[in-house]
Amino acid sequence: MHAYRTIWHCIYGDLVFSNAMAKRAAEQEPDRRRPFPELLADQDGVALPHLTALAGHSVEVTESYDIAEQLEAVVDGLLSRA
């Protein structure tokens, strides 16, 4: 049951995020909160050095993201714990 819930949350989260990004792109409302990495502030470099270092690769990572590949890694991890 835990594995099922984990997989479901991954899939649901991806669907929600993809839908939100598509809606944001279609509406282009200027007063909406900025997306990552634009919302990072200068002080975040100290608190979140790894995330800040990846900020310049956000578009590249987003475009190459494959939910099936990521789910395979999650399932492999879940099975290795069984």
Side-chain angles (χ1 to χ4, degrees), residues 9-62:
H9 284 269
C10 288
I11 292 170
Y12 181 74
D14 185 65
L15 291 171
V16 168
F17 184 77
S18 296
N19 187 44
M21 293 303 288
K23 186 176 179 181
R24 180 183 297 235
E27 293 174 356
Q28 296 182 355
E29 296 177 26
D31 59 338
R32 292 193 65 173
R33 186 173 175 190
R34 295 175 299 156
F36 175 81
E38 297 165 10
L39 58 84
L40 289 173
D42 291 337
Q43 63 269 25
D44 292 327
V46 175
L48 307 165
H50 298 294
L51 188 60
T52 304
L54 293 172
H57 302 285
S58 177
V59 172
E60 167 188 333
V61 170
T62 299

